[in-house]
Amino acid sequence: MITLGDYLLVSGILFAIGFAGVMLRRNLIIILMSLELMLNAANLSLVAFSRFRVGPDGLPNYNAQVFVFFIITVAAAEVAVGLAIIVALYRARQTTDIQNISSLKF
Amino acid sequence: MSPVLFWIFALVTLIFGAAVVINRNPVASALSLVVSFLGLAALFMSLNAYFIGIIQVLVYAGAVMVLFLFIIMLLDLRVEERRRINWLASAGGLALALILFGQIFSVVSHLEIAQQPFPPLPGSTTDDVRNIGVALFTNYNLPFQVVGVLVLVATIGVVLLSKREPR
């Protein structure tokens, strides 16, 4: 029998994998993709809880799924703007390696 | 959903998610992410969230990843050449990720509700599009309109950021 904890565990592992990607990779686009992995891990967690909370009418609690809808929309807009920034950066510096773009580093 | 299917899709999602982080070729990373999203959509379907599963495939795997692939091809990113790995920094980053996962695991394993299986659904769930639509346009109408404005602002921002400097 699959429990709620199994879904939360998969969501936690996916989040940790995305977090490791953001920490360890130097290519900006891979970092952005790892960020998307983290967002999707949160979406999985929300949908699992939505299915778990069954209301008195026998239907799952759809508020969390509406939230996931908004998260997907906002993440798509964020990816578009992030990639536009990366393209502008690449035009200026000809690199996507974060170690070459560290002029604001403390 | 049978446990075998759940673990197959969960392993697909996790293994290809790890492939995103490990691959040195950005195109291979992007394609691994597509497969990971498809595995995730299957997990959503197993939770009776049919609308969210379809939206995941359409928007994430279908639009966002195609955009990523366009940009990777546009910038002509090559395979990252093997360089001297800073082992200390890599170990630190990996330790952080493992600590984070350890904390998540300890929280989940101490939740009592996490041990319970999912309650059965006596009601029909095949019209979840209708229910989500009703909730979206009645209770959450204001966030819906705000997100519409947000997407407009993002579009304008992308066009503005992509303008070349006038020579």
Side-chain angles (χ1 to χ4, degrees):
Chain A
M1 222 42 245
I2 303 296
T3 64
L4 174 65
D6 293 333
Y7 279 98
L8 294 184
L9 208 62
V10 170
S11 164
I13 297 176
L14 201 61
F15 192 85
I17 290 174
F19 183 71
V22 170
M23 288 286 131
L24 296 175
R25 294 300 300 256
R26 295 198 324 187
N27 193 346
L28 262 176
I29 299 205
I30 309 287
I31 292 178
L32 207 53
M33 286 199 265
S34 308
L35 215 56
E36 289 304 304
L37 263 184
M38 289 164 80
L39 279 169
N40 276 291
N43 285 350
L44 179 63
S45 182
L46 275 168
V47 172
F49 273 113
S50 151
R51 169 66 177 85
F52 187 73
R53 290 286 175 211
V54 175
D57 54 356
L59 293 171
N61 188 355
Y62 286 113
N63 295 320
Q65 296 191 17
V66 171
F67 192 17
V68 167
F69 176 83
F70 285 133
I71 291 178
I72 290 177
T73 311
V74 171
E78 161 219 331
V79 160
V81 174
L83 285 174
I85 291 178
I86 288 178
V87 165
L89 196 62
Y90 188 83
R91 281 205 196 122
R93 302 294 178 96
Q94 274 74 46
T95 182
T96 54
D97 192 335
I98 57 172
Q99 293 202 347
N100 301 338
I101 320 174
S102 59
S103 58
L104 282 180
K105 200 165 154 184
F106 176 67
Chain B
M1 185 192 208
S2 83
V4 174
L5 273 181
F6 167 75
W7 283 114
I8 288 177
F9 286 123
L11 278 174
V12 161
T13 306
L14 292 174
I15 288 176
F16 282 96
V20 172
V21 171
I22 293 175
N23 247 315
R24 285 183 303 126
N25 186 349
V27 175
S29 270
L31 294 176
S32 305
L33 194 58
V34 173
V35 179
S36 185
F37 284 160
L38 292 179
L40 206 59
L43 287 178
F44 285 153
M45 295 290 186
S46 80
L47 286 167
N48 299 109
Y50 307 116
F51 177 66
I52 297 294
I54 291 291
I55 290 293
Q56 170 89 5
V57 173
L58 280 179
V59 171
Y60 259 125
V64 170
M65 291 319 300
V66 168
L67 183 61
F68 264 112
L69 280 166
F70 275 164
I71 299 296
I72 291 174
M73 297 298 180
L74 177 73
L75 301 184
D76 197 16
L77 294 177
R78 299 306 163 96
V79 177
E80 267 185 40
E81 65 270 350
R82 214 170 263 289
R83 65 189 191 290
R84 249 182 349 105
I85 302 179
N86 185 351
W87 288 109
L88 194 61
S90 301
L94 204 58
L96 265 179
L98 285 174
I99 289 173
L100 175 65
F101 172 64
Q103 287 176 332
I104 293 176
F105 180 73
S106 73
V107 165
V108 169
S109 61
H110 285 129
L111 273 179
E112 298 92 37
I113 64 172
Q115 320 301 336
Q116 299 171 14
F118 286 101
L121 284 177
S124 158
T125 56
T126 52
D127 52 353
D128 64 334
V129 178
R130 182 182 169 278
N131 291 321
I132 292 180
V134 164
L136 199 59
F137 285 104
T138 55
N139 294 335
Y140 300 104
N141 202 4
L142 180 61
F144 185 69
Q145 306 298 328
V146 169
V147 161
V149 174
L150 177 83
V151 169
L152 175 69
V153 168
T155 306
I156 296 175
V158 166
V159 168
L160 212 57
L161 282 169
S162 316
K163 269 184 179 306
R164 289 195 177 271
E165 299 294 313
R167 302 234 166 260

